């Protein structure tokens, strides 16, 4: 495809881009934590802010696959509570994206994930005695943080995962709510990145089309793997992948 060739990447760079596309699909229908390696992989090939314009169309395609598998399992009440605050976070992220460098972004996101991870581990130890906050401030904080980290580095998956696990979501509800939430959020980010960051074009969309087979293969494998994981294993894997994501962002 002519548009794909216009990127002028080396063979190994294309290999990494294909791996990243595969992981996008796998993370959307399987383990969401596997999205985190995609961020440094694509950034290493295309650069910091430019990479967000490459990743976003890939994510939207991955979201579409996730909706195919889990569209009937969403909890819309939680999505509606978070979305207004998520949009606040997106706007803050757009503004910050023009004034803060990539290293500062990654440090902020990593600290946020680590703090949430500490809360999640504490919650697991407390078990049924753990009480999830019910106040509006809780939805506001989680929504705004999800929006900001999604806009800055497409790294909101860990934050949102902790929120859903804290709310006691089981596997199918977790996957369905995540699929719809990020499909809506990622679509909302497109005009923001086009108008303010100018990093999505027909060229980047052409790359997404070229990566469709890799995304589809990852999505299929993810859907198979997730069925073989029980609820306890699922929660443990989310915690582990969140920890790995936080460490990776600090490097």
């Amino acid at each position: 495809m002519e548009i794909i060739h216009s990127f002028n990447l080396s063979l190994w760079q294309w290999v990494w881009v294909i791996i990243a596309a595969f992981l996008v699909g796998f993370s959307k229908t399987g383990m969401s934590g596997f999205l985190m390696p995609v961020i440094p992989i694509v950034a290493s090939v295309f650069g910091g802010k430019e990479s967000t314009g490459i990743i976003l169309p890939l994510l939207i395609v991955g979201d579409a696959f996730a909706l195919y598998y889990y569209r009937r399992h969403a909890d819309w009440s939680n999505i509606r509570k978070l979305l207004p605050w998520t949009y606040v976070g997106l706007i803050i992220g757009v503004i910050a994206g023009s004034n803060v460098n990539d290293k500062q972004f990654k440090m902020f996101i990593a600290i946020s994930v680590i703090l949430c991870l500490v809360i999640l581990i504490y919650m697991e130890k407390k078990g049924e005695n753990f009480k999830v906050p019910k106040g509006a401030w809780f939805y506001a904080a989680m929504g705004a943080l999800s929006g900001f980290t999604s806009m800055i580095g497409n790294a909101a998956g860990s934050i949102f995962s902790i929120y859903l696990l804290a709310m006691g979501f089981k596997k199918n509800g977790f996957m369905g709510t995540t699929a719809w939430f990020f499909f809506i959020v990622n679509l909302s980010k497109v005009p923001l990145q086009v108008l303010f960051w100018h990093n999505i074009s027909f060229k980047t969309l052409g790359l997404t089309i070229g990566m469709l087979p890799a995304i589809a293969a990852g999505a299929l494998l993810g859907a198979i793997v997730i069925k073989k994981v029980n609820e306890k294993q699922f929660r443990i894997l989310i915690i582990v992948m969140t920890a790995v994501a936080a460490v990776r962002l600090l490097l």
Side-chain angles (χ1 to χ4, degrees):
M1 186 180 294
E2 186 175 346
I3 295 179
I4 300 297
H5 293 323
S6 66
F7 278 95
N8 194 30
L9 303 180
S10 69
L11 176 61
W12 279 111
Q13 285 177 317
W14 278 118
V15 169
W16 282 115
V17 171
I18 292 171
I19 291 173
F22 177 86
L23 289 176
V24 166
F26 185 84
S27 69
K28 290 298 182 177
T29 61
M31 297 297 167
S32 59
F34 279 90
L35 179 63
M36 293 308 299
V38 173
I39 299 168
I41 288 174
V42 179
S44 68
V45 175
F46 296 99
K49 188 180 292 185
E50 187 67 25
S51 69
T52 64
I54 297 292
I55 294 175
L56 184 55
L58 298 177
L59 293 178
I60 293 173
V61 173
D63 291 330
F65 280 106
L67 289 179
Y68 175 80
Y69 286 103
Y70 306 112
R71 62 188 180 278
R72 298 179 181 176
H73 299 286
D75 184 330
W76 284 101
S77 64
N78 274 285
I79 292 175
R80 284 191 291 267
K81 289 176 182 177
L82 285 181
L83 274 179
W85 298 106
T86 302
Y87 287 128
V88 172
L90 289 179
I91 297 302
I92 295 173
V94 169
I95 297 172
S98 303
N99 298 283
V100 182
N101 63 43
D102 289 343
K103 185 176 181 180
Q104 292 170 321
F105 283 153
K106 290 180 180 179
M107 183 65 68
F108 175 84
I109 295 169
I111 292 173
S112 301
V113 172
I114 289 172
L115 288 175
C116 290
L117 181 62
V118 171
I119 295 172
L120 180 57
I121 294 173
Y122 173 76
M123 179 199 73
E124 287 292 307
K125 288 187 175 182
K126 294 288 288 186
E128 295 182 356
N129 294 323
F130 181 82
K131 303 298 181 183
V132 178
K134 299 297 184 182
W137 69 268
F138 180 67
Y139 296 102
M142 296 307 294
L145 189 56
S146 293
F148 181 82
T149 53
S150 179
M151 193 72 220
I152 294 301
N154 295 299
S158 297
I159 304 296
F160 194 68
S161 294
I162 289 172
Y163 167 76
L164 293 185
L165 292 180
M167 297 297 290
F169 274 68
K170 300 301 182 183
K171 190 162 56 177
N172 282 339
F174 181 101
M175 298 302 295
T177 303
T178 299
W180 275 110
F181 179 79
F182 280 107
F183 181 67
I184 295 170
V185 170
N186 286 332
L187 281 179
S188 301
K189 287 158 56 178
V190 172
L192 295 176
Q193 293 195 206
V194 170
L195 293 174
F196 295 99
W197 290 356
H198 312 293
N199 60 356
I200 296 179
S201 63
F202 287 113
K203 186 177 178 180
T204 58
L205 296 179
L207 178 63
T208 300
I209 294 173
M211 292 298 108
L212 278 174
I215 299 173
L220 178 60
L221 182 60
I224 294 172
V225 169
I226 196 68
K227 291 178 181 178
K228 300 181 181 298
V229 178
N230 63 37
E231 297 290 347
K232 185 174 179 60
Q233 290 173 329
F234 179 76
R235 295 176 72 88
I236 292 173
L237 281 171
I238 291 294
I239 292 173
V240 171
M241 291 306 301
T242 301
V244 171
V247 171
R248 183 63 187 84
L249 287 169
L250 287 171
L251 296 179

